Amino acid sequence: MWMFGIIALGFIAGAIPFGYLIAQRRGLNIKEHGSGNIGATNVARVLGARVGFIVLLLDAAKGALPTLVALHYCGWTQVVAATGAAAILGHCFSPFLKGKGGKGVATSFGVFLVIAPSLAGIAVLAFVVIWRITRVPALGSLAGSAALSALFIARGATHYTILAVATTALLVYTHRSNLAKLTNAR
């Protein structure tokens, strides 16, 4: 039963809308500015790089901390993966924002930083390369996630591989409006 408590902790932590709360403290509804997203990229665009970086760290931490708790207190890969998934889903579909949320990139990074730090580092490298080429953060994020999934697949099927592939599918879904704009811009 305590395993479900750890997973629930992951969802609740993930659901905390840091970007929204920080913008609100500054008298701004971030959902009404920039892209309308609560994540670090939009916060940086609207409130500056420093504030965006703080949101990035907090969003990554809300994925990392519950995953670390699951890894430390349980260690079963299925519980660790489920806790990470719960944190990511909490961020993307926050009950504090009526089922709305962010795109899940930073929270996913936090989860995978705990599960496989070296692979998370390679994902960041893929993000940076694609972002530098295209100047489109969404494409960098999807490239990083796809690289992470490919690396897990190459290692063999595990609960973490399933989480990586499911996360990539979720990120494609949460970035669907970005992808539609890029397609229409052609």
Side-chain angles (χ1 to χ4, degrees), residues 84-118:
I88 297 164
L89 290 170
H91 177 77
C92 295
F93 307 103
S94 175
F96 302 121
L97 297 175
K98 298 179 183 170
K100 305 281 185 190
K103 299 201 190 266
V105 176
T107 306
S108 298
F109 173 70
V111 168
F112 286 103
L113 188 61
V114 169
I115 291 172
S118 61

mmCIF file of all heavy atoms in Angstrom, residues 84-118:
data_model
loop_
_atom_site.group_PDB
_atom_site.id
_atom_site.type_symbol
_atom_site.label_atom_id
_atom_site.label_comp_id
_atom_site.label_asym_id
_atom_site.label_seq_id
_atom_site.Cartn_x
_atom_site.Cartn_y
_atom_site.Cartn_z
ATOM 1 N N GLY A 84 7.784 8.279 -11.455
ATOM 2 C CA GLY A 84 8.219 9.271 -12.439
ATOM 3 C C GLY A 84 7.112 9.619 -13.400
ATOM 4 O O GLY A 84 6.876 10.802 -13.705
ATOM 5 N N ALA A 85 6.396 8.611 -13.874
ATOM 6 C CA ALA A 85 5.271 8.851 -14.792
ATOM 7 C C ALA A 85 4.202 9.697 -14.118
ATOM 8 O O ALA A 85 3.638 10.614 -14.735
ATOM 9 C CB ALA A 85 4.682 7.517 -15.254
ATOM 10 N N ALA A 86 3.941 9.416 -12.866
ATOM 11 C CA ALA A 86 2.925 10.181 -12.131
ATOM 12 C C ALA A 86 3.329 11.649 -12.013
ATOM 13 O O ALA A 86 2.491 12.548 -12.174
ATOM 14 C CB ALA A 86 2.705 9.567 -10.747
ATOM 15 N N ALA A 87 4.603 11.907 -11.743
ATOM 16 C CA ALA A 87 5.079 13.297 -11.645
ATOM 17 C C ALA A 87 4.916 14.015 -12.977
ATOM 18 O O ALA A 87 4.451 15.166 -13.029
ATOM 19 C CB ALA A 87 6.532 13.333 -11.186
ATOM 20 N N ILE A 88 5.273 13.346 -14.056
ATOM 21 C CA ILE A 88 5.152 13.948 -15.388
ATOM 22 C C ILE A 88 3.684 14.216 -15.720
ATOM 23 O O ILE A 88 3.328 15.306 -16.187
ATOM 24 C CB ILE A 88 5.814 13.045 -16.457
ATOM 25 C CG1 ILE A 88 7.319 12.923 -16.189
ATOM 26 C CG2 ILE A 88 5.544 13.582 -17.863
ATOM 27 C CD1 ILE A 88 7.994 11.777 -16.933
ATOM 28 N N LEU A 89 2.831 13.241 -15.457
ATOM 29 C CA LEU A 89 1.398 13.417 -15.724
ATOM 30 C C LEU A 89 0.798 14.508 -14.850
ATOM 31 O O LEU A 89 -0.059 15.280 -15.312
ATOM 32 C CB LEU A 89 0.650 12.097 -15.533
ATOM 33 C CG LEU A 89 0.943 11.031 -16.586
ATOM 34 C CD1 LEU A 89 0.342 9.689 -16.170
ATOM 35 C CD2 LEU A 89 0.422 11.465 -17.951
ATOM 36 N N GLY A 90 1.242 14.587 -13.600
ATOM 37 C CA GLY A 90 0.765 15.649 -12.717
ATOM 38 C C GLY A 90 1.094 17.019 -13.269
ATOM 39 O O GLY A 90 0.286 17.941 -13.213
ATOM 40 N N HIS A 91 2.302 17.149 -13.827
ATOM 41 C CA HIS A 91 2.702 18.433 -14.414
ATOM 42 C C HIS A 91 1.863 18.764 -15.651
ATOM 43 O O HIS A 91 1.412 19.894 -15.814
ATOM 44 C CB HIS A 91 4.183 18.410 -14.793
ATOM 45 C CG HIS A 91 4.627 19.668 -15.474
ATOM 46 N ND1 HIS A 91 4.865 20.837 -14.791
ATOM 47 C CD2 HIS A 91 4.841 19.943 -16.782
ATOM 48 C CE1 HIS A 91 5.213 21.783 -15.649
ATOM 49 N NE2 HIS A 91 5.201 21.252 -16.869
ATOM 50 N N CYS A 92 1.667 17.784 -16.511
ATOM 51 C CA CYS A 92 0.952 18.021 -17.771
ATOM 52 C C CYS A 92 -0.554 18.205 -17.581
ATOM 53 O O CYS A 92 -1.187 18.899 -18.380
ATOM 54 C CB CYS A 92 1.204 16.870 -18.735
ATOM 55 S SG CYS A 92 2.922 16.729 -19.268
ATOM 56 N N PHE A 93 -1.105 17.584 -16.558
ATOM 57 C CA PHE A 93 -2.557 17.615 -16.343
ATOM 58 C C PHE A 93 -2.857 17.963 -14.884
ATOM 59 O O PHE A 93 -3.541 17.217 -14.184
ATOM 60 C CB PHE A 93 -3.168 16.268 -16.721
ATOM 61 C CG PHE A 93 -2.802 15.821 -18.106
ATOM 62 C CD1 PHE A 93 -1.835 14.848 -18.313
ATOM 63 C CD2 PHE A 93 -3.396 16.407 -19.217
ATOM 64 C CE1 PHE A 93 -1.477 14.437 -19.592
ATOM 65 C CE2 PHE A 93 -3.050 16.007 -20.509
ATOM 66 C CZ PHE A 93 -2.086 15.020 -20.695
ATOM 67 N N SER A 94 -2.378 19.105 -14.453
ATOM 68 C CA SER A 94 -2.467 19.488 -13.048
ATOM 69 C C SER A 94 -3.907 19.727 -12.597
ATOM 70 O O SER A 94 -4.620 20.537 -13.185
ATOM 71 C CB SER A 94 -1.666 20.767 -12.802
ATOM 72 O OG SER A 94 -1.840 21.200 -11.473
ATOM 73 N N PRO A 95 -4.337 19.047 -11.536
ATOM 74 C CA PRO A 95 -5.676 19.308 -11.002
ATOM 75 C C PRO A 95 -5.785 20.725 -10.419
ATOM 76 O O PRO A 95 -6.873 21.272 -10.325
ATOM 77 C CB PRO A 95 -5.857 18.247 -9.919
ATOM 78 C CG PRO A 95 -4.483 17.790 -9.572
ATOM 79 C CD PRO A 95 -3.642 17.991 -10.788
ATOM 80 N N PHE A 96 -4.647 21.332 -10.092
ATOM 81 C CA PHE A 96 -4.653 22.704 -9.580
ATOM 82 C C PHE A 96 -4.968 23.717 -10.677
ATOM 83 O O PHE A 96 -5.297 24.862 -10.391
ATOM 84 C CB PHE A 96 -3.316 23.045 -8.925
ATOM 85 C CG PHE A 96 -2.948 22.117 -7.798
ATOM 86 C CD1 PHE A 96 -1.785 21.378 -7.846
ATOM 87 C CD2 PHE A 96 -3.768 21.979 -6.692
ATOM 88 C CE1 PHE A 96 -1.437 20.515 -6.817
ATOM 89 C CE2 PHE A 96 -3.442 21.118 -5.648
ATOM 90 C CZ PHE A 96 -2.275 20.387 -5.709
ATOM 91 N N LEU A 97 -4.838 23.277 -11.934
ATOM 92 C CA LEU A 97 -5.145 24.142 -13.079
ATOM 93 C C LEU A 97 -6.251 23.525 -13.938
ATOM 94 O O LEU A 97 -6.262 23.666 -15.158
ATOM 95 C CB LEU A 97 -3.885 24.377 -13.927
ATOM 96 C CG LEU A 97 -2.742 25.110 -13.241
ATOM 97 C CD1 LEU A 97 -1.519 25.175 -14.155
ATOM 98 C CD2 LEU A 97 -3.169 26.507 -12.816
ATOM 99 N N LYS A 98 -7.167 22.817 -13.272
ATOM 100 C CA LYS A 98 -8.325 22.204 -13.938
ATOM 101 C C LYS A 98 -7.928 21.254 -15.073
ATOM 102 O O LYS A 98 -8.506 21.275 -16.152
ATOM 103 C CB LYS A 98 -9.280 23.277 -14.438
ATOM 104 C CG LYS A 98 -9.846 24.132 -13.317
ATOM 105 C CD LYS A 98 -10.750 25.197 -13.838
ATOM 106 C CE LYS A 98 -11.220 26.045 -12.664
ATOM 107 N NZ LYS A 98 -11.906 27.247 -13.081
ATOM 108 N N GLY A 99 -6.889 20.458 -14.815
ATOM 109 C CA GLY A 99 -6.463 19.455 -15.787
ATOM 110 C C GLY A 99 -5.524 19.972 -16.864
ATOM 111 O O GLY A 99 -5.142 19.233 -17.760
ATOM 112 N N LYS A 100 -5.172 21.228 -16.788
ATOM 113 C CA LYS A 100 -4.218 21.802 -17.740
ATOM 114 C C LYS A 100 -2.844 21.810 -17.079
ATOM 115 O O LYS A 100 -2.726 21.628 -15.878
ATOM 116 C CB LYS A 100 -4.605 23.239 -18.107
ATOM 117 C CG LYS A 100 -6.006 23.397 -18.632
ATOM 118 C CD LYS A 100 -6.090 22.994 -20.055
ATOM 119 C CE LYS A 100 -7.506 23.299 -20.549
ATOM 120 N NZ LYS A 100 -7.795 22.765 -21.806
ATOM 121 N N GLY A 101 -1.820 22.076 -17.857
ATOM 122 C CA GLY A 101 -0.492 22.129 -17.271
ATOM 123 C C GLY A 101 0.546 22.481 -18.299
ATOM 124 O O GLY A 101 0.246 23.077 -19.325
ATOM 125 N N GLY A 102 1.773 22.079 -18.032
ATOM 126 C CA GLY A 102 2.882 22.363 -18.930
ATOM 127 C C GLY A 102 3.095 21.226 -19.906
ATOM 128 O O GLY A 102 2.325 20.260 -19.941
ATOM 129 N N LYS A 103 4.157 21.328 -20.650
ATOM 130 C CA LYS A 103 4.444 20.339 -21.690
ATOM 131 C C LYS A 103 5.200 19.129 -21.144
ATOM 132 O O LYS A 103 5.243 18.090 -21.767
ATOM 133 C CB LYS A 103 5.194 20.993 -22.829
ATOM 134 C CG LYS A 103 4.337 22.100 -23.448
ATOM 135 C CD LYS A 103 4.759 22.436 -24.826
ATOM 136 C CE LYS A 103 4.071 23.676 -25.303
ATOM 137 N NZ LYS A 103 2.902 23.549 -26.026
ATOM 138 N N GLY A 104 5.818 19.247 -19.983
ATOM 139 C CA GLY A 104 6.413 18.093 -19.320
ATOM 140 C C GLY A 104 7.896 17.881 -19.537
ATOM 141 O O GLY A 104 8.456 16.904 -19.048
ATOM 142 N N VAL A 105 8.565 18.777 -20.238
ATOM 143 C CA VAL A 105 9.976 18.558 -20.576
ATOM 144 C C VAL A 105 10.869 18.604 -19.345
ATOM 145 O O VAL A 105 11.642 17.683 -19.084
ATOM 146 C CB VAL A 105 10.445 19.575 -21.645
ATOM 147 C CG1 VAL A 105 11.933 19.407 -21.925
ATOM 148 C CG2 VAL A 105 9.631 19.409 -22.917
ATOM 149 N N ALA A 106 10.796 19.672 -18.566
ATOM 150 C CA ALA A 106 11.680 19.808 -17.408
ATOM 151 C C ALA A 106 11.395 18.743 -16.350
ATOM 152 O O ALA A 106 12.325 18.185 -15.758
ATOM 153 C CB ALA A 106 11.550 21.210 -16.797
ATOM 154 N N THR A 107 10.123 18.454 -16.125
ATOM 155 C CA THR A 107 9.769 17.427 -15.142
ATOM 156 C C THR A 107 10.277 16.065 -15.600
ATOM 157 O O THR A 107 10.820 15.294 -14.802
ATOM 158 C CB THR A 107 8.247 17.417 -14.903
ATOM 159 O OG1 THR A 107 7.831 18.736 -14.537
ATOM 160 C CG2 THR A 107 7.861 16.443 -13.802
ATOM 161 N N SER A 108 10.147 15.773 -16.895
ATOM 162 C CA SER A 108 10.679 14.520 -17.446
ATOM 163 C C SER A 108 12.191 14.455 -17.280
ATOM 164 O O SER A 108 12.741 13.411 -16.911
ATOM 165 C CB SER A 108 10.334 14.403 -18.935
ATOM 166 O OG SER A 108 8.951 14.378 -19.124
ATOM 167 N N PHE A 109 12.850 15.579 -17.532
ATOM 168 C CA PHE A 109 14.301 15.612 -17.359
ATOM 169 C C PHE A 109 14.669 15.270 -15.918
ATOM 170 O O PHE A 109 15.597 14.485 -15.675
ATOM 171 C CB PHE A 109 14.871 16.983 -17.748
ATOM 172 C CG PHE A 109 16.325 17.123 -17.422
ATOM 173 C CD1 PHE A 109 17.275 16.420 -18.131
ATOM 174 C CD2 PHE A 109 16.734 17.933 -16.373
ATOM 175 C CE1 PHE A 109 18.627 16.523 -17.814
ATOM 176 C CE2 PHE A 109 18.079 18.048 -16.049
ATOM 177 C CZ PHE A 109 19.029 17.346 -16.764
ATOM 178 N N GLY A 110 13.950 15.840 -14.958
ATOM 179 C CA GLY A 110 14.222 15.549 -13.552
ATOM 180 C C GLY A 110 14.070 14.070 -13.237
ATOM 181 O O GLY A 110 14.897 13.481 -12.520
ATOM 182 N N VAL A 111 13.034 13.453 -13.782
ATOM 183 C CA VAL A 111 12.798 12.019 -13.568
ATOM 184 C C VAL A 111 13.971 11.208 -14.112
ATOM 185 O O VAL A 111 14.542 10.360 -13.419
ATOM 186 C CB VAL A 111 11.473 11.576 -14.231
ATOM 187 C CG1 VAL A 111 11.349 10.060 -14.269
ATOM 188 C CG2 VAL A 111 10.272 12.204 -13.516
ATOM 189 N N PHE A 112 14.348 11.478 -15.364
ATOM 190 C CA PHE A 112 15.397 10.676 -15.988
ATOM 191 C C PHE A 112 16.791 11.018 -15.483
ATOM 192 O O PHE A 112 17.693 10.190 -15.562
ATOM 193 C CB PHE A 112 15.301 10.763 -17.519
ATOM 194 C CG PHE A 112 14.139 9.969 -18.041
ATOM 195 C CD1 PHE A 112 12.984 10.598 -18.442
ATOM 196 C CD2 PHE A 112 14.196 8.585 -18.082
ATOM 197 C CE1 PHE A 112 11.889 9.868 -18.896
ATOM 198 C CE2 PHE A 112 13.122 7.832 -18.533
ATOM 199 C CZ PHE A 112 11.962 8.482 -18.946
ATOM 200 N N LEU A 113 16.956 12.192 -14.925
ATOM 201 C CA LEU A 113 18.232 12.537 -14.298
ATOM 202 C C LEU A 113 18.501 11.618 -13.111
ATOM 203 O O LEU A 113 19.639 11.225 -12.855
ATOM 204 C CB LEU A 113 18.229 14.001 -13.859
ATOM 205 C CG LEU A 113 19.540 14.569 -13.349
ATOM 206 C CD1 LEU A 113 20.614 14.501 -14.434
ATOM 207 C CD2 LEU A 113 19.345 16.005 -12.890
ATOM 208 N N VAL A 114 17.449 11.234 -12.409
ATOM 209 C CA VAL A 114 17.580 10.298 -11.287
ATOM 210 C C VAL A 114 17.758 8.867 -11.793
ATOM 211 O O VAL A 114 18.614 8.127 -11.312
ATOM 212 C CB VAL A 114 16.348 10.395 -10.353
ATOM 213 C CG1 VAL A 114 16.334 9.265 -9.335
ATOM 214 C CG2 VAL A 114 16.313 11.745 -9.666
ATOM 215 N N ILE A 115 16.955 8.474 -12.768
ATOM 216 C CA ILE A 115 16.959 7.092 -13.252
ATOM 217 C C ILE A 115 18.248 6.746 -14.007
ATOM 218 O O ILE A 115 18.832 5.681 -13.800
ATOM 219 C CB ILE A 115 15.734 6.839 -14.158
ATOM 220 C CG1 ILE A 115 14.446 6.878 -13.311
ATOM 221 C CG2 ILE A 115 15.849 5.510 -14.897
ATOM 222 C CD1 ILE A 115 13.173 6.838 -14.126
ATOM 223 N N ALA A 116 18.672 7.642 -14.896
ATOM 224 C CA ALA A 116 19.846 7.367 -15.742
ATOM 225 C C ALA A 116 20.540 8.683 -16.070
ATOM 226 O O ALA A 116 20.331 9.250 -17.142
ATOM 227 C CB ALA A 116 19.415 6.644 -17.013
ATOM 228 N N PRO A 117 21.358 9.186 -15.150
ATOM 229 C CA PRO A 117 21.982 10.506 -15.342
ATOM 230 C C PRO A 117 22.774 10.641 -16.643
ATOM 231 O O PRO A 117 22.698 11.671 -17.300
ATOM 232 C CB PRO A 117 22.899 10.654 -14.130
ATOM 233 C CG PRO A 117 22.490 9.614 -13.158
ATOM 234 C CD PRO A 117 21.743 8.563 -13.897
ATOM 235 N N SER A 118 23.522 9.614 -17.016
ATOM 236 C CA SER A 118 24.328 9.727 -18.239
ATOM 237 C C SER A 118 23.444 9.818 -19.477
ATOM 238 O O SER A 118 23.727 10.588 -20.400
ATOM 239 C CB SER A 118 25.309 8.559 -18.357
ATOM 240 O OG SER A 118 24.617 7.336 -18.414
#
